[in-house]
Amino acid sequence: MKSSIRIITLPIAILLATNNLYAADYDLVIKGGHVVDPETGLSDTRNIGINKGTIAAISSDSLSGKTVIDASDHIVSPGFIDLHHHGQNIAGYRMQAQQGVTTALELESGILPIGDWYETQAQKSLPINYGASAAWTFARIATFTDSEPEANLQYFQSMQGLNNWKKEVASPEQLEKIMAYVEQGLNEGAIGIGINAGYAPGYGQKEYYALSKLAAQHEVATYTHVRYASMLEPGSSFEAIQELIANSALTGAKMHINHINSTSLRDIDATLELFDEATANGFHVTAGAYPWGAASTVVGAAMFSGPEWKERLGYQEESIQMGTERLNNDQLLEAQKEQPGSIINWHFLDEAIPSELSALDKSIIHPNVLIESDSMPWMLIEDGKISYYEGDDWPIPSEAFAHPRSSGTFTKILGSYVRERGLLSVEEAIRKMSYMPATVLDGFVPQMEKKGRIQVGMDADIVIFDLNTVDNQATYQVPAAISTGIDSVLVNGEFVVKNGQLLTDAAPGKAIRREVLSK
C-alpha cells in the first residue's frame, strides 16, 4: 500500500471543463478509498463527494471536486467517537484528532455548571467536536462542601482531600439539592448524567435510583464509573454492575458502563455475564472498554483507601506510577497526604502475561462493548508539583505526561487488535469506534444521528488511514508520542489532519449539546 495519500487542488480551468462531464462538482472529493460504513455494511471501493461539511454523494462513478484526496489503498472510515474524554485543553483534543477522533465527549465524570463549560470550550478554537454530561460528583461536592461548582476538572481534583462527599449518605435535604444541580445541568443542554460513582462510593441506594429516574424522565442516558472495583465480596465489581443493571430495569433509563475492563479487574467473565443477561433481556445497558492494562485516576481516589483495599484491587507495590516514576508504599502514602488530587497511572494488569492480556481482550473483542479511551489531561511536573499543561505548542512538550491511552487508544485497536493479532476485522473495529458510540446518544442528541456513519446526508467527520502502518506509538514512559498511519482527518468537512500532519490553525469543532431550556 502507499505510505501516504495525494491531495490535489484542481485549477479553475479544470473545474470548468469538468462541469460538462459530471452532474455536480463538490467542495471535496475522496477518490478510490475502501469505504466502511458500519450501519449499512458497506465495505468496498467508493468515491465520496462532500459539500458544506456534509456527505453529498457516495458513488462507484467518478466525481469532480475543487479538492481531491486520492485515497487509493487506504481505509475511509467514519470519524472515531470517544465517549470518555477528560483532556479538556486544546492539547488533549489535538492528540485525539491525531489518532482519528472527530468527536470527544466528557461523559463519565461530566461537568457543572454546563452552560459555563460550553461557553469556555467555544472560546478555545477546538479542532474536533466536544460535549459533556451533567456531573453528579460536582453536585455532590458542592452540596457537601457548601460551595458552588466550577466548570473545570481542577474543582474536582481540589476536593480529593475531603471525605464527606465521598463516603456519606445524603440527607433528604442534601439529596434534593444534588438532584437540583444535576437537573439544572440537563436544562442547560447536558448530553446526559455523568455518575462517577467509584469516586464517591458511600452514596445511598436511593440516590442512584433517583438519578436513574431523572435520566428516564429527561430521556437521556447515564454514564457510570461503577461504585466498586473489587474482586472480593461484599462491595465487589459484580455487585456494582448488578446495581446499575437493576436501576436500568426498574426505571427504563439508558445506562452506560464506562471502562468495564478496568472496574472488573480480573473478574471480567462474571461482569460480562451480567452485561450479556441485561442486553438479552432488552434492558437499555451499554458498555465501553479501553485496550490498556493500566488505569488512570487521582492518587486520593476512594478505591485506594479503607480496610483491605489492596486485597480488593489485587494491588502490588509499585503498581502506581506518578509521572514516569513508580511509587513504593511510603511514597504512595505521602502523595495521598500532600497531593491527593494528583493524577497517576495504576497498573492492574500486565499485558506481557498471556492470562492477564486475555482478560483484557475479553472486553475489547466482545461484540457489544464499544471502544472508549478515558483520555486524561496532559500534565507537567515542576519542582515536585503537578500542574495542567495549558499551552498550545505542537507537538506538546516531550516532558508532558498522561496515560498513553490519551494519544493512542484508537490506533492501538487498529494496529494490535486488527492488523497484528487479528482479533477484530477492520469493519468490526470501525463499528466499535464510530457507529456504536454514536448510537448510545441516538434519540436524545439529534446531532449524533449524523455521526458515526458514511452515508449521504451525514456529517463529513471522516478519517482516512493506512491499515499497513496505522499504530499507537505512545508508552507509559513516552506518552506524548504521536500515532502513525492516520493520513487525513476531516471534521465537519474541514481538514484537521492533512498528509499525516495536524493543522494547528484548524478549528472546525462544534458543540454537541441538547436543547437549552434554561440558563
Side-chain angles (χ1 to χ4, degrees):
M1 287 189 178
K2 300 176 182 179
S3 60
S4 62
I5 57 181
R6 296 179 64 211
I7 299 174
I8 308 163
T9 301
L10 298 179
I12 295 299
I14 294 177
L15 288 175
L16 294 176
T18 58
N19 283 338
N20 296 323
L21 299 175
Y22 308 109
D25 284 329
Y26 301 94
D27 296 335
L28 188 149
V29 166
I30 301 172
K31 175 185 175 183
H34 188 103
V35 177
V36 176
D37 177 56
E39 185 171 48
T40 63
L42 173 65
S43 180
D44 207 345
T45 302
R46 292 289 188 273
N47 303 308
I48 299 174
I50 297 169
N51 275 333
K52 298 180 180 179
T54 299
I55 297 172
I58 301 172
S59 178
S60 299
D61 298 329
S62 296
L63 302 175
S64 67
K66 299 172 186 176
T67 299
V68 177
I69 303 174
D70 182 357
S72 302
D73 299 322
H74 284 69
I75 304 295
V76 181
S77 164
F80 306 143
I81 297 168
D82 193 353
L83 302 183
H84 198 162
H85 169 74
H86 298 306
Q88 301 302 321
N89 292 328
I90 194 166
Y93 290 99
R94 284 175 171 174
M95 274 297 195
Q96 290 275 34
Q98 194 74 65
Q99 57 172 319
V101 175
T102 54
T103 299
L105 306 175
E106 167 62 276
L107 299 183
E108 176 230 33
S109 179
I111 290 285
L112 285 179
I114 279 290
D116 291 354
W117 183 83
Y118 275 105
E119 182 177 339
T120 298
Q121 298 306 93
Q123 298 170 4
K124 293 181 179 180
S125 300
L126 297 177
I128 64 176
N129 305 310
Y130 56 93
S133 65
W136 165 74
T137 49
F138 281 50
R140 219 170 196 273
I141 291 168
T143 298
F144 276 87
T145 63
D146 196 26
S147 64
E148 288 298 317
E150 299 174 16
N152 55 63
L153 296 182
Q154 290 94 323
Y155 175 75
F156 177 74
Q157 286 180 271
S158 69
M159 300 296 182
Q160 292 303 314
L162 303 176
N163 284 324
N164 55 353
W165 66 271
K166 297 180 184 180
K167 298 183 177 181
E168 294 181 13
V169 174
S171 67
E173 294 77 18
Q174 287 174 319
L175 179 56
E176 182 179 357
K177 189 174 181 180
I178 291 167
M179 299 302 293
Y181 272 123
V182 173
E183 187 163 32
Q184 179 61 28
L186 293 175
N187 290 337
E188 291 179 10
I191 52 179
I193 303 173
I195 305 177
N196 220 345
Y199 289 84
Y203 64 86
Q205 292 280 345
K206 292 179 181 178
E207 188 168 341
Y208 198 6
Y209 178 64
L211 288 165
S212 306
K213 286 203 301 182
L214 183 65
Q217 175 189 335
H218 284 262
E219 299 182 329
V220 300
T222 67
Y223 316 92
T224 300
H225 175 148
V226 296
R227 185 196 294 249
Y228 304 125
S230 171
M231 295 176 288
L232 302 180
E233 292 191 290
S236 66
S237 304
F238 185 90
E239 178 184 331
I241 290 176
Q242 192 174 54
E243 174 186 43
L244 179 148
I245 292 170
N247 279 326
S248 176
L250 289 168
T251 65
K254 298 179 178 181
M255 304 188 77
H256 181 72
I257 305 167
N258 290 107
H259 50 43
I260 195 170
N261 60 305
S262 61
T263 47
S264 297
L265 303 173
R266 294 176 178 84
D267 211 14
I268 190 67
D269 289 321
T271 57
L272 283 178
E273 182 179 354
L274 278 177
F275 175 62
D276 286 340
E277 288 289 339
T279 55
N281 280 283
F283 303 150
H284 299 296
V285 177
T286 55
Y290 55 75
W292 304 89
S296 189
T297 182
V298 291
V299 73
M303 69 180 76
F304 301 131
S305 65
E308 297 184 317
W309 75 264
K310 293 181 181 180
E311 291 79 8
R312 288 184 171 278
L313 296 178
Y315 172 84
Q316 296 179 1
E317 188 169 6
E318 298 190 352
S319 63
I320 287 181
Q321 174 185 342
M322 181 177 288
T324 59
E325 302 297 323
R326 297 291 188 106
L327 304 183
N328 61 33
N329 286 336
D330 290 339
Q331 291 169 323
L332 173 61
L333 290 171
E334 181 180 0
Q336 288 177 321
K337 179 180 178 181
E338 300 297 330
Q339 302 181 66
S342 295
I343 292 176
I344 52 90
N345 293 332
W346 166 45
H347 298 261
F348 63 93
L349 290 176
D350 187 342
E351 294 175 53
I353 299 174
S355 62
E356 298 193 7
L357 178 60
S358 176
L360 175 60
D361 290 344
K362 286 175 181 177
S363 60
I364 299 301
I365 67 176
H366 189 289
N368 292 327
V369 175
L370 59 84
I371 304 303
E372 58 188 29
S373 77
D374 198 359
S375 66
M376 299 300 288
W378 289 91
M379 313 294 289
L380 296 172
I381 298 180
E382 295 178 334
D383 299 325
K385 298 295 183 181
I386 298 178
S387 62
Y388 281 88
Y389 173 63
E390 305 277 3
D392 64 355
D393 293 341
W394 187 260
I396 67 174
S398 59
E399 66 271 20
F401 74 91
H403 193 296
R405 69 193 185 196
S406 309
S407 48
T409 289
F410 297 88
T411 46
K412 184 175 182 180
I413 292 293
L414 294 169
S416 175
Y417 284 82
V418 175
R419 185 184 62 246
E420 295 175 5
R421 296 199 285 151
L423 297 178
L424 293 171
S425 68
V426 67
E427 292 86 358
E428 178 67 358
I430 288 171
R431 184 181 76 91
K432 285 172 164 284
M433 298 190 293
S434 59
Y435 177 67
M436 283 181 70
T439 62
V440 172
L441 290 88
D442 275 359
F444 62 95
V445 184
Q447 291 158 290
M448 298 306 294
E449 296 174 7
K450 291 191 173 185
K451 298 191 182 297
R453 304 155 171 94
I454 293 190
Q455 300 168 31
V456 172
M458 299 295 111
D459 293 338
D461 291 352
I462 295 173
V463 56
I464 304 172
F465 61 87
D466 184 344
L467 191 55
N468 284 336
T469 61
V470 66
D471 214 344
N472 161 62
Q473 301 299 319
T475 67
Y476 294 105
Q477 296 302 312
V478 188
I482 295 171
S483 291
T484 54
I486 300 293
D487 287 295
S488 293
V489 177
L490 301 173
V491 176
N492 299 307
E494 297 184 30
F495 282 105
V496 171
V497 175
K498 190 174 184 179
N499 291 327
Q501 300 298 313
L502 182 86
L503 304 182
T504 56
D505 58 349
K510 295 182 179 180
I512 305 298
R513 190 174 186 180
R514 292 168 53 254
E515 180 183 1
V516 177
L517 301 179
S518 64
K519 296 182 180 180

